[in-house]
Amino acid sequence: MPEEVDILIRGGHVADGGGGEPVEADVAIRGDRIMAVGRRLSARGAEEIDARGLLVTPGFVDIHTHYDAQVTWAESVLSSSWNGVTTALIGNCGVGFAPCRPERRDMLVRLMEGVEDLPEVVLTEGLPWNWQSFPEYLEAIAARRYDLDVAAQVPHAALRVHVMGERGAEREPATEADREEMARLAVEGIRAGALGFSTSRAIAHKTLAGEPIPTLGAAEAELAAVARGIRALGEGWMQVISDFDEPDEEFALLQRVAALSGRPMTFSLLQRESRPGLWRDLLAKVSAANAEGTRMLAQVMGRPVGLMFGFELSQHPFLHRPSFKPIADLPFEARMARLRDPAFRDRLLAEETADPALRARHETWTRIFRLGDPPDYEPHPDTSVAAEAARRGVAPAALAYEWMMERDGRAILNRPLLNYADGDLDAIGEMLRHPHTVTGLGDGGAHVGYICDASATTHMLVHWARDRSRGAKLPLGFAVKRITRDNAMAVGLADRGLIAPGHKADVNVIDHGRLQLRVPEMRYDLPAGGKRLVQRADGYVATILSGQVTFRDGVSTGALPGRLVRGAQHPLA
């Protein structure tokens, strides 16, 4: 009599996360673990999934999200769970909501509003604040259920405000007592289950009032205190975002801190328009650091990072022109009624954006493109607003206005700001192939009015492993490994990211030939009616989390096996 298992996935092309090309195999699941993988298993499944002709992968591990608020009020972690993600790491970029004293909640809300574009009214209404310490925040998450697993990091900015109050928010130097208390709390958080510690050294991370993030320019001694605490604990990693405006000095500082910690460090690596070759220099430094025994990983994104423009979105080329300001906060349909008025349109097009930095950001017409449906994240320069306007003999601003008015004013333009200085993705291809990089930076849960990159996992399999036509592709098995096993191992989650006996039963069954992203859409379902962009994908036949099917053909089954992940994890023997 054949052995019975809970789920048997039959005859799929299994890309197991190890990097090899897919092979035909069955996958048997019992409880929350993979029991067996092999050709024509004799087991019988209580549920059987016919995966002949389909791709079977581990669940995706997203190591850079900002669902810190969303997981306190929601069960469905969109858009990540729509895009095959079964584990999401929150607490990135040094921002979060714990630890936090009641009288300092407003500071963290203002910071998250500015740094990650989460409106204050949404956070004020949505956050339950049933915690003060970081371990209590983890307990609040642990009490909830989700459609993916959630792991956390201890955020430096919250530590600084908690320990130093206004002194921390105003970036005053930390005293020795401040430093030791921050280190103690970081260790306390990791001991309670956080996977690491995160910080930001980026000038762009500001409140809406323009106040820099409290951690900007934090002294090496402050980071070193945390590093020593983590070293003594022997757990966790350190996540950093930095501008690298002084790359030699900044990288040397981070390398010293990483070496002191004895733990892996990751930092965000992006190609900047102002310094398009800096990424290559930083990768060379990463290689040298690893050769010297310091574990450092550059965290990269598989597509451009930028802004999406639209009249329903939070950003677009006309946002800062005088005539638009009075209608900016009108309900969408009322705003569209004004935008459809030819006289209003002509007046708006005749105006200018006064701030040159905003003009560069919003009106560099050679760098603005239609996004399309399905979206094109490697558009040819010949398809830019500027190029098409020249062919038509019209002003670029007028064409951008026309394009954004399509789909009843819901059409979206794309402005790549990072990773697109060369007008293609060849630089990203080099980053993705580098042995000391991991993939992330999707920012799920953040920048909800103008960025929607939580779908980068799907883009990896669609664009890099199937459709790319403007340069070399990635082998399918390697692309799967980049978004599964590599990320899981980097953060200490060795129990997932691999389809092998004893590993966690997080699995995607995908129609790879049909896999396709759809254009992002705006929802108004955040607390207080706040809006957010979400992005669906076609082709996910089934997503399995901890041995339960959470999505079938992109539709939730209602199953919520997702839990808080506490600390490093290991497969069953």
Side-chain angles (χ1 to χ4, degrees), residues 80-367:
S80 290
S81 54
W82 272 343
N83 284 273
V85 175
T86 51
T87 303
L89 182 61
I90 63 175
N92 285 282
C93 300
V95 290
F97 300 103
C100 184
R101 306 179 198 276
E103 65 271 20
R104 293 174 184 165
R105 291 170 181 169
D106 287 349
M107 291 187 193
L108 296 190
V109 166
R110 289 198 305 270
L111 182 61
M112 188 67 84
E113 180 183 37
V115 173
E116 303 300 346
D117 185 40
L118 289 165
E120 180 271 338
V121 65
V122 169
L123 298 175
T124 299
E125 180 166 315
L127 287 168
W129 290 115
N130 53 340
W131 65 83
Q132 289 191 39
S133 71
F134 192 85
E136 288 170 346
Y137 175 71
L138 292 186
E139 288 296 331
I141 298 175
R144 299 183 60 82
R145 301 294 180 259
Y146 307 104
D147 57 7
L148 49 68
D149 282 348
V150 177
Q153 298 165 100
V154 181
H156 189 188
L159 285 184
R160 217 169 194 271
V161 170
H162 183 76
V163 171
M164 300 173 62
E166 289 290 347
R167 290 188 301 117
E170 293 173 6
R171 299 187 298 121
E172 292 184 17
T175 66
E176 183 177 356
D178 294 332
R179 296 195 295 266
E180 292 308 313
E181 180 63 2
M182 281 188 269
R184 185 189 72 79
L185 291 172
V187 169
E188 177 185 75
I190 295 172
R191 192 173 276 131
L195 297 187
F197 164 85
S198 72
T199 190
S200 170
R201 301 171 64 78
I203 190 67
H205 283 173
K206 300 177 180 179
T207 68
L208 288 187
E211 302 157 348
I213 190 168
T215 57
L216 179 68
E220 182 173 349
E222 188 172 325
L223 296 175
V226 175
R228 282 191 295 270
I230 293 175
R231 184 185 191 93
L233 187 61
E235 297 178 31
W237 80 338
M238 302 184 79
Q239 183 265 329
V240 180
I241 181 168
S242 175
D243 296 315
F244 290 102
D245 287 333
E246 301 292 338
D248 293 341
E249 293 83 351
E250 181 72 353
F251 191 91
L253 183 155
L254 295 179
Q255 185 175 350
R256 289 192 297 271
V257 171
L260 180 61
S261 76
R263 304 299 303 164
M265 175 185 284
T266 181
F267 66 89
S268 302
L269 181 67
L270 297 153
Q271 184 191 41
R272 292 159 56 175
E273 287 183 353
S274 60
R275 303 181 72 178
L278 177 60
W279 66 271
R280 188 172 279 114
D281 297 336
L282 291 171
L283 272 186
K285 293 179 185 297
V286 169
S287 295
N290 279 274
E292 294 167 14
T294 303
R295 288 179 287 175
M296 298 183 76
L297 294 165
Q299 191 170 151
V300 304
M301 175 74 157
R303 69 192 197 199
V305 177
L307 307 174
M308 288 188 292
F309 292 156
F311 287 129
E312 193 179 19
L313 278 61
S314 301
Q315 301 281 323
H316 57 75
F318 310 102
L319 184 66
H320 298 283
R321 297 190 179 191
S323 293
F324 190 83
K325 292 179 181 179
I327 72 167
D329 295 325
L330 292 177
F332 177 66
E333 289 304 331
R335 192 161 66 247
M336 286 307 302
R338 297 298 307 279
L339 290 164
R340 292 187 185 102
D341 178 0
F344 181 87
R345 169 191 174 278
D346 291 346
R347 185 167 68 251
L348 192 64
L349 289 175
E351 295 172 348
E352 290 188 353
T353 299
D355 187 328
L358 290 173
R359 284 203 304 274
R361 191 177 180 89
H362 291 158
E363 299 179 37
T364 301
W365 304 114
T366 57
R367 297 278 180 174

Side-chain angles (χ1 to χ4, degrees), residues 27-37 485 493-506 569-573:
V27 179
I29 294 171
R30 178 180 291 153
D32 66 351
R33 298 285 159 166
I34 295 169
M35 191 188 80
V37 181
R485 188 61 171 171
L493 299 181
D495 67 331
R496 64 199 69 199
L498 191 68
I499 295 180
H503 285 71
K504 196 163 175 290
D506 296 348
Q569 303 291 314
H570 305 282
L572 299 180

Side-chain angles (χ1 to χ4, degrees), residues 36-82:
V37 181
R39 293 289 299 273
R40 299 181 179 86
L41 294 177
S42 60
R44 181 165 50 90
E47 176 181 352
E48 298 203 0
I49 297 175
D50 183 356
R52 288 174 296 179
L54 304 178
L55 176 67
V56 179
T57 76
F60 306 146
V61 179
D62 189 340
I63 59 176
H64 196 112
T65 78
H66 291 281
Y67 294 116
D68 306 67
Q70 187 171 325
V71 297
T72 71
W73 66 62
E75 297 171 331
S76 184
V77 188
L78 303 177
S79 301
S80 290
S81 54
W82 272 343

